[in-house]
Amino acid sequence: MNCILQVFQNELTCSICRNYFVDPITIDCGHSFCRPCFYLSLQNRSVLDHCSECQKAIQQKDFHTNVTLKQMVLTVRQARLWQFLRSRDNRCRIHMEAKQIFCEDQRSLLCLHCSTSQEHGAHRHCSVEEAAEQHREKLLKTMCSLWEKCCENDRNLIVESVATRSWEIYVISRGEAIRAEYDELAQIYHTEKQQHLERLQREGKEIFDQFQDSEARMAHKRQLLRGMYTELKEMCHKPDVELLLDFGDILQRSEAVCVHMPQPVKAELTAVIIPGLIARAMQRLSLCIMEALALITSYKEI
C-alpha cells in the first residue's frame, strides 16, 4: 500500500522543483510541471525549446491549468494538513484541543476556546484549511501579474540592448551624411561643418550613455522581478501551516517591486540649423520659381 501511495505522490510531483505541483500545466508532449517552475526554466533556455523530460519540441504558447492535477494535489495537501492538525504537536497547551482555527490578525493557530476568548474574539478567523488555500490563491494571482511585468521588462531590455548597439552605427552614418552634404558646398562652410559634426558627436555620446544607463536599470529590475517571483513560488510550495505562519508582507513587497518599471529611451538628435544647407535649398527654390515663371510666360505667349 505504501508503494502505491509513493507512486501516486510521485505522479503529483514536479520534476523541476521536486515538490507537489503548484498551478500545474501540461505541455504538448503530455508532461506536466508547475507553471512558475516551467516559466523560469523556459526563460533560461533557447527560444526553440524542448521538454526537459522527453526532449520533444514545445510548440504550444498558451498553457492552461490542469484542473484535474490541481484538485488531486489539493486532496493530498488536505490529507497531510488534517494529519498534522490532529497530531499531539498541534494541541493547545491551555485547553488541550486541536488548533484548527487561523487568526489572521496575529497569524497564529488557535483552538476553538482560544478563538472566542477576550484576547482573540474581535479578530478575523477562519479554518486553517480554508485560510491556506485562500493565501495560496492570492500568491498565484500575484505571481500572474508579476510574471507579466517580468515579460514586459524582458521585452524592453531586448529593445534597449539592440538600440544601444545600433546607436553608434546610426551616429556614424549621420556624420557621413553631413560630410557628404557639406562636401558639395563651398569651402567657406568648413568651420560650420566641423561645429555641426562636433555637436553630433556630443549629442550622440549623451544619448548612448542614456541607453547604457537604461539597459543597466532594466537588467537590475529583471533580477528584482525574477527574485521576487522565485520567492513567491517557494512560498507556494510550503506546507499549509508553514505558509500561513510565514506569509508576512510578501504581497506588499511584490507590489513594491513592480513600481517604477523602467521604459525604453526615446532617442532623437535635436534639429540643428545648417545655414549652408538652407542657402543651398533656397538657391534650388529660386531656380524652380524662375523656371515656373518662364513656363508661365511661354504659355501666355502661345
Side-chain angles (χ1 to χ4, degrees):
M1 187 66 179
N2 289 336
C3 182
I4 296 176
L5 181 60
Q6 184 63 44
V7 172
F8 177 70
Q9 290 179 338
N10 289 340
E11 292 299 318
L12 300 180
T13 301
C14 173
S15 61
I16 298 176
C17 66
R18 302 298 178 183
N19 290 311
Y20 286 127
F21 288 121
V22 166
D23 194 13
I25 57 172
T26 302
I27 61 177
D28 312 57
C29 58
H31 288 109
S32 300
F33 306 92
C34 297
R35 184 187 297 274
C37 293
F38 180 78
Y39 280 178
L40 288 171
S41 176
L42 193 66
Q43 279 210 333
N44 289 329
R45 291 177 283 181
S46 61
V47 176
L48 181 61
D49 220 319
H50 298 76
C51 173
S52 59
E53 291 290 295
C54 64
Q55 301 306 311
K56 288 186 178 179
I58 301 173
Q59 305 294 338
Q60 192 175 349
K61 293 183 178 180
D62 297 324
F63 302 95
H64 300 289
T65 299
N66 188 321
V67 179
T68 302
L69 273 181
K70 184 175 181 179
Q71 186 59 43
M72 292 172 68
V73 172
L74 175 60
T75 301
V76 172
R77 281 205 184 96
Q78 288 176 339
R80 295 182 66 182
L81 176 60
W82 293 337
Q83 184 178 8
F84 170 77
L85 293 178
R86 292 186 177 90
S87 68
R88 291 185 177 181
D89 294 335
N90 188 50
R91 288 183 181 178
C92 173
R93 294 182 180 181
I94 300 175
H95 303 100
M96 298 306 294
E97 291 186 4
K99 295 184 288 185
Q100 299 184 359
I101 298 175
F102 178 66
C103 175
E104 295 187 20
D105 294 79
Q106 293 193 350
R107 312 206 73 82
S108 59
L109 302 187
L110 306 172
C111 72
L112 179 60
H113 293 290
C114 288
S115 67
T116 57
S117 66
Q118 185 176 359
E119 180 182 356
H120 297 281
H123 294 169
R124 295 168 296 169
H125 304 131
C126 62
S127 68
V128 174
E129 178 184 345
E130 180 183 0
E133 286 311 306
Q134 287 179 351
H135 281 64
R136 189 169 278 110
E137 288 301 319
K138 287 179 182 179
L139 287 171
L140 292 175
K141 184 178 180 179
T142 301
M143 291 174 71
C144 181
S145 300
L146 183 61
W147 188 252
E148 291 178 359
K149 293 294 184 182
C150 287
C151 294
E152 174 191 336
N153 186 73
D154 284 349
R155 289 191 296 268
N156 289 339
L157 181 56
I158 293 172
V159 170
E160 211 71 332
S161 179
V162 172
T164 302
R165 293 193 299 269
S166 303
W167 183 251
E168 283 185 311
I169 299 174
Y170 171 72
V171 172
I172 292 172
S173 300
R174 183 75 175 267
E176 291 174 350
I178 292 171
R179 289 187 182 90
E181 287 289 338
Y182 272 108
D183 287 344
E184 296 183 17
L185 299 177
Q187 186 65 24
I188 59 174
Y189 295 113
H190 176 74
T191 302
E192 180 184 303
K193 178 181 74 172
Q194 291 302 119
Q195 291 175 346
H196 188 47
L197 289 173
E198 288 174 5
R199 181 171 180 178
L200 172 67
Q201 291 298 319
R202 184 171 62 254
E203 287 187 7
K205 177 64 166 56
E206 290 174 355
I207 295 175
F208 179 76
D209 291 342
Q210 291 177 25
F211 274 125
Q212 287 192 313
D213 290 343
S214 177
E215 190 177 351
R217 288 194 300 271
M218 290 178 182
H220 179 62
K221 177 64 77 169
R222 185 177 191 269
Q223 291 182 337
L224 294 177
L225 291 169
R226 288 171 66 86
M228 191 71 244
Y229 190 82
T230 300
E231 186 177 347
L232 290 167
K233 175 181 77 75
E234 292 172 352
M235 179 66 74
C236 275
H237 281 305
K238 289 187 175 184
D240 289 349
V241 173
E242 190 175 342
L243 181 150
L244 291 174
L245 299 181
D246 295 346
F247 203 79
D249 63 345
I250 193 168
L251 296 183
Q252 289 78 9
R253 289 190 290 109
S254 175
E255 184 177 346
V257 171
C258 295
V259 176
H260 304 306
M261 294 290 293
Q263 298 300 314
V265 172
K266 295 182 179 179
E268 183 178 358
L269 293 170
T270 59
V272 180
I273 298 176
I274 309 175
L277 298 186
I278 292 176
R280 185 180 175 190
M282 292 299 294
Q283 290 174 0
R284 290 177 179 175
L285 180 59
S286 297
L287 289 173
C288 290
I289 293 173
M290 290 175 64
E291 291 175 359
L293 290 173
L295 287 172
I296 293 172
T297 302
S298 301
Y299 178 76
K300 286 183 177 179
E301 290 177 353
I302 296 174

